[in-house]
Structure formats: C-alpha cells, structure tokens
C-alpha cells in the first residue's frame, strides 16, 4: 500500500478532452503514471492523445476509474507502462489488458539497467528491483527511445516526426544531465535522505548516496527508526525528503529527532525536466 | 381530593394506521387508586404511555398535573409491562433501582448516600434484599418484575403508573405489594393496569374498562355499578368500595 | 449513451451490477436484520491476514482468500456464541487481528512486498468476464442454500433459543449463514471493492425494510434497489464522468436519506 | 532496551499509549456495551468525506476533520433514533456515503491531490509532542463529561424509554455520547491510525467485561488493559523488530482469545 | 398412564457459582397435568430449561421420553416465560406461529399448506385470528403471550412445557386456555409453571413446589395433602384432584 500511495497525477490530464470525437484521427495512448505521459506528449506531439490512468492520490482503497477513463482505455491503441514493477501496474494491468486485448502494451523500461533497492543499509539479503527507473536523465533518454519505437511501429506514417521529436528531447535531457553534474561538482558530502527510496537511479547517475528511511515499503519498526536516526546523524543530515502529497508523519518524526526539516520532492511530476532540475537543486542545498 | 391529576380529553392514538385509542376522555383525581382493565390489545399500555408522554396522541389533549406530560414526568413513577433490554448489558440490580432516583438528581451529581439507602429500602420492600449485586440479565421473570416495582417506588413519585405489576410475581409477594399500594395511596395517586380481578375488587377505588367486549364482565368480578356517561364508548367506568 | 455499451467494460459492469445485486439483496437482508453491518468490513480485513500468511509461505495469496475468510467467519461465529461475546465485538477483534497478522507477515516476508491490500479492492468498471461467472456461481449457491434453509435461518435469527428447543441445529446453521456472508463479501470485494460492498449490504436492505416487513420481500426488494442504484449510479458516473463506485454509493445513500426522511415526515409517530 | 528511550519518538510513543488508553478504556466501554464496535470505522470514514470537501474548497483538510466527524456522529444518531434505523445500519450508510463524497470531491479537485487516506493511517511511533497535548486535552474532556453524566449515560444505554419517562433528555445525551465517541475516534485515528483504534475500542473492554460486570470498573480495567497492551506491544515490536501497531493489536487479540477460551473452559455453562 | 415421560435424577444446576437447583429428583408420567409452583427465583424456569436440554445440569441425570433431552426436543412444545427478541425484527405473527412446525419439517422443505392451516387454527384457538399479518414487535404483552402459546400448540407436541402461560392474559382468554389444556391433557403430557393458585387447584393433577419457603402455602390455595418422601428438601409434591 505504501508504494502505490505516492503515484500522483495531474488530474486535468485525465479530463474529457481525451475522449471527444473530434480528435478521432489522433492515436489514443494511455499511460499508467504521469511522467510517462510527458514523454509520449513530447515525442508523439500532435499525433497522439494521452490519458493517464492513475487518479490523483491513488490508493487501492479508493482507486476507481471513471467511465471516461475506461472509454479512453477501450479506444486506446497503445498503453505505455513503466514495466519496472510499480504497484499500480501489478494491481491493475491484468484487468486493463483483459478489457482491451487489442491494445499494444509498450514497456517504457525495456532494456534498462535495473538497480536493486537499497534499504537503509540494514542486513537484508533479499533485494528487489527498484521500480523508480524514470527518475534519472539517462533513463529518460531510454524511455524516449522505447516510446519512439512503439509509436513508430504503430503509426509508421509519422515515423520521421517521432524520431525528430525524440532527438530534440534527448538533447534536452543530455543538457540536464550535464547541468546537474556541474552543480554537484566538488561536493564532499554526497548523501541525502529520502523517506521513500525513489531516487536511487538519480543517485546512481550522479554518484550520490541515497539514504532511505523506509525499508521496502513496510511500516517502520522502532528499531528501523533507531537505525535511520543513527544514520542521519552519522551523515549529518538535516533534511528528509518526502513525496509532496504523501503522509509525512513518519518523516516528520525522523526530522524532529535529528533536529531537521522535511522537504517535498516529487517523483511523479508531469513537468519532467524542470522537476528533476528542482530536485537536484534541493538535494544540493541539503548537502551543503 | 378533588385535584385532577390526569386529564385526557378526546384522546385518539393510532399507530401505523390502526386505531388503538379513540376519543378517550378520562379524569383521575388526587390520591385515587384507579384501576384499568380490558382485554389483551385493548390499549391499556398505550394509555399509560400517553400519560407519560412516551406516545404522542394523534388527536386530543393530555394534561398531567395540569401540564404537558413531558414536563410532569419527573413526578411520575412507572412500572412498564415489559422491559426490552439487552441481557448482556452489565448492570446490577442496585444500579437499576438507583435509576429511579435519576429525576431527583441533576446532571453533575452522582447518586448520594441517601439515594442508596432508599434504593436498599425499596429492594427490601419487594423482597429483593440480598440480590443487589446480581446482574439484571440473569434475573428470573418474577425477580425482574419486583425490580421494576422497586425502581418505580424509590423515586417517591406523586403519581404511580403500574402496568400489570403483579404478573409473574408469586402469591406471597403479590399480597404484600397490594398491601403496600394500599398504604401508598394515602400519599400518592395510583393508576394500575391489571388482569387480576381479585385485586380490582379489593384494592381499587375506581375502574375504567378499555375496549371491553361484553364477554369480559361475565368472568371478572367487576360489578358494573355505575357507568359514567362522561366517557365515550370504549371506556366503562365502574366504581368500587363505595368511596367518593 | 447507447454508444457506451459498445465497450466490453461497460457490458461487464452492467452484468456485474445485476449479478451482484442478487447476492447483495439476499445476504444484505440477513446482515441488516441481524444488525451486523460491520461484518463485511470485518471479514474482508480478517481475510487480509490470510493473504499475508499466504504470501509469506510463498503460496498464491489469492488461494488463501476464500478459505481464510470462511475461517474468519467461523471464528467470529464460534467466538461470539461459545464465549458469549457480542457479535460486533467478535467481528472487531477479528478485523483488527487479521489486519495485524497481515501487516506482520508482510513485514516478515523478505524483500519488497506487493500491495496485498489491493487483493481486497476492485472496481466495477474493471470486472473481467471470468469474474462474472464467479458471481453467477455464487448467486446460484446462495439462492439454493437460502431456499433450502429459509425457515431455519428465519427461526435462528429471530428466536434462537426456541429454534434450539425445536431441535434445529442452530450452531451449524448460524455458521453456515456466516459462511454465506463471508463468501459474498470476498467475492464481491474482489469485484466491486470493499467500500461498495459495505454500502450495498447495508443501504438497499435498510430501504427495503421501510417498504416491507417480510424478510423474503425485503430480499427481493433490496435486490431490485441494489440493481437500480448500481445501474443508475453507473449511468450518472458516465454522464458526469466521475468515479463509478462513489457515484453508485452516493445514489444509494441519498435515496436512503430521502426515503428515511419521507417516511419520518409522512409516518404518524 | 533502555537506550531506545533516549529517542523522543519512543518517549512520545509511551506517553501516547498511556494517554490514549484512558480515552480508549472509557469510550470503548460504551462502544462495547452499546454493541456499536462498527462506529470507529464509520466515523473515521465518514469524516473522510469532510476531508475531501475541505480539500476541494481549499481549506486545510484537517480543519474539517473534527467538525465533520461530529457532524457524522450527529447524523448517525439522528438517523437511527428519528427514523428507527438500527445504529449499525446508520453507521454503515454514513461510512459508505462519507467515503463516496470524499472520493468524488477528490476527483473534482483540480491539480494534485494528496492521498487523503493517509489521514486515516497514523502510527504510534510518529506522535509529535503537540498531539500528546491534544490527547491529554481529550482525556480531560472525556473524564469530565463522563463524570458529569455517568448515571444518565448508564440509564440511556440500558433502558432509554425509562430514562425518557424520568425526564432525562435522552436524545441530547445520546448525541453527546456519540460526539464523545467521534472525538475520541478522530483524535486517536490521527495519532495511532484507524486499525489500532478499532482494536483498542473493542478488545480491552471486551476482556474487561469478563472480569467485571460493572461499567465503571470495566472502564478502569479496560484502560489498564489498553495501557498494558500498547506498552507490551511496543516493547515486543522493539525486541522482534516488527511493526508496532500490528504487534500491539496482536498482543491484545491473542490475550482476548486466551481469556475467552480460559473463561469458557473454567466457566460452568 | 405409567410411562415416565420426564425423569430427573439428583439434578443440580448452578450458574456462575450460585446454586439454583440442588439434587432434584422428579418423575412426570404420561398424560399427567403436572404443576410446578414456587417463589420467584425458585428455579422453575431453570427446571423447564433443563428438561428441554437448554440448560446443562451441573450434576445428575435427565431423561425425556427415556432419552437425552437434546434428542427428544422435537417432541416437546415450549411456552417460554419471556421472549428476548429484537422488536425491530421483521417477522409477522403467522410466521412466528409457523416456527412451531419447524420440527415437523426437514431442511429443504418450506412450510406446506397443512402447516398454514394448522397455524391459522392455533391462532384462532388463542383468539388471535385477524392479527396474522401483524408484526411481532408491535404486539401487546398479552397478544405476545397468546402467540407463544399458539406456537407451542401448533407443533402437536407429546409433551407441553408451559412457563406461566397465562401471565398478562385477560381473564376471558385465561379461562379458555385452561379449558383447552384440560382437553389436551387427554392426548399429551403437560408440565405447567404458574403462580395462578386458582388454576393449580382446579386443573392440575399433581404439583411440585420448588424451593418453597413456608409462607408460600398460607396464601396459596394449595392444600398440602401429601408430601412425597422421594423428593429432597426443596421440592414438595402435592397431589390434587384425587387422581392416581
Ligand atoms: N443466567 C443466569 N445468571 C445468573 N443467575 C441466574 C441465571 N438464570 C437464572 N438465574 C437465577 O436463578 C434463580 C432461578 O431462576 P428461575 O428463572 O429458574 O426462577 P423461577 O422459579 O422461574 O422464578 P420466577 O417465578 O420469577 O419466574 C434466580 O434467582 C435467578 O436469578
Ligand atoms: N408499536 C406498535 N405497532 C403496532 N401496533 C401496536 C404497537 N403498539 C401497540 N400496538 C397495538 O395496539 C394495541 C394495543 O396495545 P397495548 O399494548 O396498549 O394493549 P394492552 O391493553 O396493554 O394489552 P395487554 O393486556 O395485552 O397488555 C394492540 O393490538 C397492539 O398490537
Ligand atoms: Mg399492556
Ligand atoms: Mg420463571
Ligand atoms: Zn515509490
């Protein structure tokens, strides 16, 4: 539950515009989470019409698609999934594909190099693949490639346009990567603490150390709490990053204990590039 | 002894479409021992509930102590015919009797020592001394009935409404309860619903018969001395004991 | 409007609504007259413990769902009858204990654990064809059992002691009744989600009760109400493009309040 | 072991456990004898509707929490008394309707929406100092009101009609009692989470009932049991390194089952 | 007439530590009209529940029709003293009476036409014809009591256990119920608990007095003709009507 909880979406993206008849010529694409829709929009441009499935504040307790979303799904030619094991997809993909068997499912994470989840450095032997692969510029390029390929296969007519769009996006992402690397240059303290370990790929790309409070998405035990606090003190951490709309009670408790503060960083923003830039700035500020 | 304690004026009650009481008028005076008889389903319990204000009449006026029943409630003691309660509810006999003192105490005030003495005394009166700590859910039928009587007495009401108080009470206790009522009526007004024809003839000063079909009188020991013209069809008033 | 029925999901949703209404109407009537509205939540959450254990043991968690919910129903029944605990307390205890067991076993399971809660939540718009068969089967089973034991169920619900004194195997039948409830809850929870099950097992029978005081008629009426709410809720959710489950529940709740208020105002007591 | 108490979160957890136990013991006893174990879930989820509306209107959702839960309590009370619906049905209707309203308003709100459900999941390890003050205040309020109205609450719970006939303002007191329950539920849900509230309002009073059949003694005993379960659960969750809430509930549930079984075996009926 | 229908042998019952029945022995024979009297809380209801197997004795043996009570239940009709039920439960008078036929029908079989005719007849017998469609929760005290009697009769039991059947029944119906019982006892065995001393002396063939304190006999009309030595202290058996 703790994981699916932080899949947030721009609700506006779901609204009616995606279902109205006049845009019938456009290809209907449904994505599971918001960041993926950013890529589809960028690459598909005017030829696609994107709908996001996950409603705001999605929680299986309340997740309940509207008929509008479902018709979008029914009309969709393509579904872009993260494919990295995010819970929402584990829970609902089967139902979605069962309801629209003709829909092409595009795996945005094809060929990516997965990393395993690092908890807070505890003694766990069993590790699981970290699903938050979209949160690094390099993986962003990979996603762009995957989506371009899917769109091109399904709609060869606009193939060239898609390739061009992808190339432009790639450039931007490359610039972003360089920009962030520069910002981080010369930093001695390279550890930041997040509550939910979503920023592992980001940390890997920029040679940072992500310390996660939450262990495998499970409720914190007193011992875990003790260890996390110990680690925060060891790395002299004063900021605990949280997803902006996630219950921050546990993070607040840790922050109180270390005399620090909590600060939101958004792993699911639709404004992909700016969001990564802002996150990087926030991490940098916290490590100074 | 001419104060009107209870005055009903053309009172009608219907529940869910069926008429239970129709245009009933009735006066009960101070320090009367007023009996109500009538066949099962005649509306006796309903009549008592009207006097208590628990049942709103569909038409007509009810005055108790010259005022609205809801206002006069604190001055009334009531023995219901049946208690609908949860057998598992954790409450003892003495706590239940103390409920009878609730109208004498305001909010913020627990029951005092005086209340407890009175409760013990009331329990003794109905022969329940020694059962104070028992759970109400475990009482026998007769024990529960005695408890209800004690609860009504302990509040020292000015008007006592009894709905078949001696049903399932053993003969010995029955006699002493009637003796008690005879002595109480010197200081309060009593209205009693009963099917106990013996008690009617021995203890009650006036009787109203609710919805009596003719057959009823043959068996009962009620002698129909006087049928008061002031009451409409379904109520017969029969006077007893030559009083008044 | 008609166009929407081109979509399989909508056809399935309508069929699911109709099939679920039958089970909800019959079982909901028992739930309401026994005053155990709590039980749907209780059984669903108690079953969560089974899912957690199943996951920990490496069994398909869904396999544990039906047996564990039946086990919870039996546990609730035995706890309340054998040790004289009120049903609602027994349900609350199982509710909490089931959740706790689930959370603990998830904690003990190595690695990143999927959201087991999601096994308990569904949406009427995503019901696959196979699930329709499952509800149809459940409906059939419920109708058969209730037909066979109608008078016994009535007797034990109203006056258990007399039923016992008449030689009716009250304990057995009581447990059977709880198991029927449990089955309905798990199956419908999978299909339409826990919130809708709580609502559909409570509101339609409560409305039906205003119109009939005969249990059988209550069952029939509340099945109809249930179907009406789900269908009109679906329709409105299409019109306003809002979440279907929420709209269905809201339709039912608003109707309930209106009927209750109307009966209160028109009634003569 | 002692070292863990250096941490403020553990000190707060222990204090929260002790303070919550008082409220849970007193209010839980009423909940159990009235057989409305359902109500904690009902009010919490009904209040969720308030959070949704608050969010939609751009008010701090938490501000809507207490008024909306009080409003739900009053609604449940009025619905059940005025229109003669069983309490559990009224609770179920509000439960579902509240959730539905919440979901709908979240859907209507433009832009990002926080996961409002997280308001229902607190953890005893995350209680800030300020919340301790809030529970202490609640405790004080509850103790005062229950002290003032103890005999009236007893009377209306046991024999409402007689209380009415004695001139006690039963409706008012009943609503007051529901409001006390609602306050307890919202405050404790914030602090320890919905699942623990269901458990703590049900299990300790149910155990206490085995040992005393006096409501006042039940309240005292269940406060003690509650404190014992929370503290020993906390301790065990530290020792075994498992989730605290789940461990507390499990301690309580297991104790309950043992006591129930023991009473059953030793009892002579 | 010498078949033993009910045999109790040194039966003791205690609930929650208090002794309710102690070493009670009792025989009731075929086609007897057996009365049980005794003070409130004497254990009469408990005794009937023991015979029905609803209350397990702490010690001693119980045989009904020579077998375990739980097995013989289907042959017994029972009028409980009180009905603990939910007033809101949606059930009508006729549905409740039909419950009395449940032991004659197996699973998978609804009530037949025959059952319905018998139910209507039983309701007529207790003067409840016309109230078939009424909700049980809305019945008056006496109407409910009549209903309970009808429910026990409709099953045509071989043994009828009556726990104060005429409490809160009006005098007219009371007489006809006793008349009915007098005719029924020709074909079945009846055990009746009652505080109605008049009925004891007129209708009952043998009486057992449970836990009688001495005072009891003075008021009641029971003449203590014979005190059977075979029963231990708390039970006195008094014979009546010169039968047997
Ligand atoms: N479940 C119980 N728990 C505790 N005490 C009980 C329980 N059932 C019965 N008793 C006690 O056992 C005694 C006998 O009860 P019983 O109902 O058999 O009396 P009874 O002879 O039928 O009295 P009555 O004439 O008042 O009906 C009573 O004192 C009663 O309080
Ligand atoms: N809530 C109710 N709903 C429907 N009918 C009711 C209700 N309350 C009372 N009645 C009916 O009203 C009539 C009068 O009832 P009431 O209880 O006043 O009779 P009663 O004279 O006290 O009878 P009894 O001697 O049997 O106690 C009965 O026929 C009863 O069925
Ligand atoms: Mg009456
Ligand atoms: Mg008795
Ligand atoms: Zn995540």
């Amino acid at each position: 539950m703790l994981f699916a909880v932080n899949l947030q979406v721009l609700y506006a993206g779901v609204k009616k515009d995606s279902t109205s008849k006049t845009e019938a010529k456009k290809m209907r694409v449904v994505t599971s989470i918001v960041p993926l829709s950013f890529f589809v929009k960028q690459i598909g441009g005017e030829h696609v019409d994107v709908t996001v499935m996950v409603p705001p504040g999605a929680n299986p307790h309340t997740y309940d698609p509207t008929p509008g979303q479902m018709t979008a799904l029914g009309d969709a030619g393509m579904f872009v999934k993260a494919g990295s094991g995010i819970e929402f997809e584990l829970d609902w993909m089967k139902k979605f594909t069962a309801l629209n068997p003709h829909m092409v499912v595009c795996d945005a994470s094809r060929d990516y190099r997965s990393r395993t989840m690092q908890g807070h450095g505890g003694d766990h032997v069993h590790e699981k693949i970290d699903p938050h692969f979209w949160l690094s510029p390099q993986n962003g390029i990979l996603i762009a490639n995957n989506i371009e390929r899917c769109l091109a296969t399904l709609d060869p007519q606009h193939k060239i346009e898609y390739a061009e769009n992808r190339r432009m996006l790639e450039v931007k992402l490359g610039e972003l990567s360089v920009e962030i690397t520069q910002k981080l240059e010369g930093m001695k303290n390279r550890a930041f603490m997040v509550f939910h370990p979503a920023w592992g790929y980001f940390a890997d790309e920029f040679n940072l150390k992500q310390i996660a409070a939450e262990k495998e998405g499970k409720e914190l035990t007193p011992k875990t709490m003790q260890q996390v606090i110990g680690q925060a003190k060891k790395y002299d951490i004063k900021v605990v990053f949280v997803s902006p709309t996630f219950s921050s009670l546990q993070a607040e408790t840790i922050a109180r204990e270390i005399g620090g503060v909590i600060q939101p960083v958004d792993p699911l923003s639709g404004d992909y590039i700016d969001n990564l830039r802002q996150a990087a700035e926030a991490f940098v500020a916290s490590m100074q | 002894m001419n104060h009107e304690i209870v005055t009903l004026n053309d009172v009608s009650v219907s529940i869910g479409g069926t008429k239970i009481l129709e245009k009933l008028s009735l006066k009960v005076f101070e320090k009367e021992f007023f009996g109500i008889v009538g066949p099962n389903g005649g509306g006796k319990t309903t009549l008592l509930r009207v006097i208590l204000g628990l049942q709103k009449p569909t038409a007509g006026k009810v005055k108790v102590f010259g005022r609205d029943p809801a206002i006069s409630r604190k001055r009334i003691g009531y023995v219901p015919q049946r208690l609908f309660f949860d057998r598992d509810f954790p409450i003892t006999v003495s706590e239940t009797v103390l409920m009878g003192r609730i109208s004498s105490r305001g909010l913020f005030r627990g029951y005092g020592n005086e209340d407890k003495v009175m409760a013990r005394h009331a329990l003794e009166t109905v022969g329940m001394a020694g059962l104070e700590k028992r759970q109400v859910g475990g009482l026998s039928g007769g024990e529960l009935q005695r408890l209800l009587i004690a609860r009504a007495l302990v509040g020292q009401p000015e008007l006592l409404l009894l709905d078949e108080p001696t049903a399932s009470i053993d003969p010995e206790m029955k006699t002493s309860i009637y003796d008690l009522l005879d002595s109480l009526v010197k200081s309060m007004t009593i209205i009693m619903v009963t099917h106990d024809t013996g008690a009617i003839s021995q203890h009650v000063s006036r009787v109203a018969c609710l919805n009596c079909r003719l057959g009823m009188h043959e068996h009962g020991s009620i002698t129909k001395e006087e049928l008061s013209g002031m009451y409409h069809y379904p109520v017969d008033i029969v006077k007893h004991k030559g009083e008044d | 409007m008609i166009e929407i029925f081109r979509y399989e999901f909508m056809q399935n949703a309508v069929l699911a609504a109709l099939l679920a209404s039958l089970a909800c109407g019959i079982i909901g009537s028992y739930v309401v007259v026994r005053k155990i509205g709590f039980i749907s939540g209780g059984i669903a959450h108690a079953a969560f413990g089974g899912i957690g254990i199943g996951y920990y043991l490496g069994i398909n968690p869904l396999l544990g769902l039906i047996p564990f919910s039946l086990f919870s129903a039996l546990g609730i029944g035995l706890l309340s009858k054998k040790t004289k605990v009120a049903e609602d307390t027994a349900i609350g205890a199982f509710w909490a204990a089931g959740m706790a067991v689930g959370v603990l076993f998830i904690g003990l399971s190595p690695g990143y654990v999927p959201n087991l809660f999601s096994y308990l939540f569904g949406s009427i718009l995503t019901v696959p064809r196979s699930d329709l068969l499952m509800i149809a089967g459940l409906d059939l089973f419920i109708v058969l059992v209730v037909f066979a034991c109608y008078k016994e169920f009535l007797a034990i619900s109203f006056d258990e002691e007399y039923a016992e004194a008449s030689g009716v195997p009250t304990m057995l039948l009581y447990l059977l009744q709880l198991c029927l409830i449990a089955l309905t809850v798990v199956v419908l929870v999978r299909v339409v989600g826990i919130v809708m099950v709580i609502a559909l097992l409570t509101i339609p029978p409560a409305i039906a009760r205003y119109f009939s005081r005969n249990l059988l008629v209550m069952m029939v009426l509340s099945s109809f109400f249930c179907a009406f709410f789900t269908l009109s809720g679906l329709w409105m959710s299409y019109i306003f493009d809002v979440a279907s489950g929420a709209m269905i529940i809201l339709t039912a709740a608003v109707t309930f309040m209106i009927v209750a208020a109307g009966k209160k105002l028109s009634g003569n007591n």
Side-chain angles (χ1 to χ4, degrees), chain C residues 137-220:
Chain C
L138 175 78
D139 277 348
L140 189 70
F141 181 67
I142 289 176
V143 168
L144 282 180
V145 174
V146 169
F147 179 77
C149 309
Y150 180 79
K151 64 184 195 308
E152 281 80 9
F153 282 161
L154 184 68
I156 63 168
S157 307
F158 172 62
D159 186 359
E160 187 165 359
E161 185 165 288
Y162 189 84
E164 177 84 30
S166 301
V168 173
T170 50
M171 191 70 201
L172 219 76
L173 284 164
Y174 172 62
L175 293 179
L176 176 63
Q177 203 181 33
L178 285 180
C179 286
L180 278 191
I181 297 176
L183 274 183
T184 311
V185 170
V186 218
V187 171
L188 292 186
V189 152
R190 275 290 290 157
V191 171
V192 298
I194 179 72
V195 192
M196 257 185 64
V197 174
I198 291 179
L200 292 187
L201 286 183
T202 314
I203 300 177
I207 300 177
R209 195 175 188 150
Y210 283 119
F211 294 99
S212 171
R213 294 245 152 200
N214 176 287
L215 188 59
L216 201 59
V217 180
M218 257 181 80
M219 288 175 176
V220 175

Side-chain angles (χ1 to χ4, degrees), chain B residues 205-208 222-226 236-240:
Chain B
S205 54
R206 261 200 320 154
V207 182
I222 303 167
T223 46
K224 215 175 172 182
E225 287 168 15
E226 197 190 272
D236 307 339
I237 292 284
V238 191
K239 288 217 176 129
H240 272 278

Side-chain angles (χ1 to χ4, degrees), chain A residues 1 5-6 8-12 15 34 56-59 61-62 64 215 219-227 229-230 233 244-247 249-253 256-257 266 268-270:
Chain A
M1 175 181 58
V5 159
N6 65 350
Q8 327 288 346
V9 176
L10 270 171
Y11 191 72
K15 283 292 181 185
V34 176
N59 177 308
H61 270 88
T62 50
D64 196 7
K215 183 183 170 190
E219 195 184 326
L220 262 61
T221 68
K223 256 197 193 122
T224 322
M225 197 83 112
Q226 194 179 12
Q227 287 162 355
I229 292 165
K233 285 184 174 156
T245 56
F246 195 62
S247 167
L249 283 174
Q250 291 178 319
E252 276 166 22
T253 306
R256 258 201 316 275
E257 210 69 55
D266 187 0
L268 284 162
S269 170

